[in-house]
């Protein structure tokens, strides 16, 4: 479990104040579930066999990999043989887009279509393809950060190789109409990919209901280790591998399997599936308490993202007139971890491309905060932030 340093400090007015470490950045990464750590340990210790080996050491770990595949498949309504483990969400996105593009016959100029709010793992990969003989089309979003299926459909043609629109956005939590976009893509003969790194295990996913050909997941957004992910590929869909070599993952991802990581992801998927409804309800209640508290205690706050059609744990707000970077640093000094979509104070980084695509004015983006709640957060965490943030916001606005 997280070690929470709880102690007394002198407050601004000299009165003793409680100090807590509060992690509210669960869209950036999550703490490993203790059950996940425990399940992984044997594969870091005495169960060290290579799953490709024919002897007992290999066979016994091979069986654990296939169990994990079944658990991961069950979370998203897939068949186990449609799940390909790989080295994270970014690798999964790369495999989907490059794999679909490289599988097309050479000569014609094939198109890759994405939304404007995709994770860099999708956007930069589409950009890479555009620099290497493919065409890229980026479709905008509305003010809630949602892509319109009709707008996506309008840019599709017979040269479209793959369409990639994420299931839920990592910054705003806005959920995308993937099913309707997939219908349009597949009607044009294009493959449909969706990045579900943020939504898997948080809201129900059924790959058949969504109608996607490929779907990406990242283990570390789901209380499992970093450097681990998977790509769902619908049976019958042929893509090229990104990493060539041995026969691992049926030729889609070469390399001796990360057995401990796979086992950990499997357990995380199983726990997410079993607890999904209850976890989502608890997390949404904490997020709603946070949102209501911020709106009540701090004037001139704007909600970014869709107010309802949104991940249960994500809250993105702009504290107008404050600098997000300042808010983040001041929160960190009070032990609170969260994110900002504002440009970095040094001026080197760009403001969030997601908030820009939503048409939010730059000065409002400046004061944006992303607060993301996870299964290990408590009411005390939320109330601690609600106690500290108003004074931090007031000071940041004055500075
Ligand atoms: C975190 C994330 C990724 C990247 O996953 P990694 O495992 O960190 O490579 C991709 N897409 C989305 C939406 C994410 O949130």
């Amino acid at each position: 479990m997280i070690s929470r340093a709880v102690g007394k400090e002198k407050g601004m007015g000299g009165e003793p104040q409680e100090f807590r470490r509060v992690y509210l950045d669960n869209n950036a990464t999550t703490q490993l579930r203790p059950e996940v750590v425990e399940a992984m340990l044997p594969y870091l210790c005495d169960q060290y066999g290579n799953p490709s080996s024919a002897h007992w050491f290999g066979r016994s770990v091979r069986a654990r990999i296939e169990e994990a595949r079944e658990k991961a498949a069950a979370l998203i309504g897939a068949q186990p043989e449609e799940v390909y483990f790989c080295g994270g969400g970014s690798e999964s996105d790369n495999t989907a887009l490059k794999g679909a593009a490289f599988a097309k016959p050479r000569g014609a100029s094939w198109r890759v279509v994405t939304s404007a709010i995709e994770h860099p793992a999708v956007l930069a990969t589409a950009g890479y393809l555009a620099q290497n003989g493919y065409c890229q089309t980026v479709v905008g979003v509305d003010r809630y950060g949602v892509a319109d299926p009709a707008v996506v459909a309008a840019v599709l043609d017979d040269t479209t190789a793959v369409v990639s629109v994420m299931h839920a956005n990592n910054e705003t939590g806005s959920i995308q109409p993937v099913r309707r976009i997939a219908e349009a893509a597949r009607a044009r003969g294009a493959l449909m990919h969706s990045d579900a790194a943020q939504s898997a295990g948080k809201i129900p996913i059924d790959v058949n209901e969504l109608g996607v050909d490929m779907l990406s997941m990242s283990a570390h957004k789901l209380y499992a280790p970093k450097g681990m992910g998977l790509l769902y590929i619908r049976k019958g869909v042929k893509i090229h591998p990104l990493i060539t070599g041995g026969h691992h993952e049926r030729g889609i991802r070469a390399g001796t399997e990360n057995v401990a990581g796979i086992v950990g992801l499997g357990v995380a998927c199983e726990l997410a599936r079993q607890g999904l409804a209850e976890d989502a309800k608890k997390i949404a209640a904490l997020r709603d308490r946070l949102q209501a508290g911020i709106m009540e205690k701090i004037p001139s706050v704007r909600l970014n993202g869709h107010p309802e059609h949104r991940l249960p744990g994500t809250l993105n707000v702009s504290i107008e007139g404050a600098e997000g970077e300042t808010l983040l640093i001041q929160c960190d000094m009070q032990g609170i971890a969260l994110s900002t979509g504002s440009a970095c104070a040094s001026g080197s980084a760009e403001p969030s491309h997601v908030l820009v695509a939503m048409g939010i004015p730059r000065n409002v983006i400046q004061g944006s905060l992303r607060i993301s709640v996870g299964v290990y957060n408590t009411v005390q965490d939320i109330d601690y932030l609600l106690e500290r943030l108003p004074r931090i916001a007031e000071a940041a606005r004055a500075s």
Side-chain angles (χ1 to χ4, degrees), residues 27-28 87-93 118-122 166 168-170 195-198 216-221 225-229 370:
N27 286 14
S90 300
E91 187 187 312
S92 179
D93 287 336
E118 296 303 308
H119 188 275
V122 165
M166 68 202 322
N169 183 262
N170 41 304
D195 179 342
Q198 290 294 340
S216 294
M217 277 176 58
S218 168
H220 76 93
K221 308 288 172 63
K226 295 161 185 69
M228 185 67 224
R370 179 190 70 184

Side-chain angles (χ1 to χ4, degrees), residues 298-302 317-323 363-364 367-368 393 397:
I298 307 174
S300 301
V301 174
R302 167 182 165 148
V317 290
S318 281
I319 298 179
E320 291 182 38
E323 171 64 59
N363 63 317
V364 178
S368 68
R397 276 171 165 160

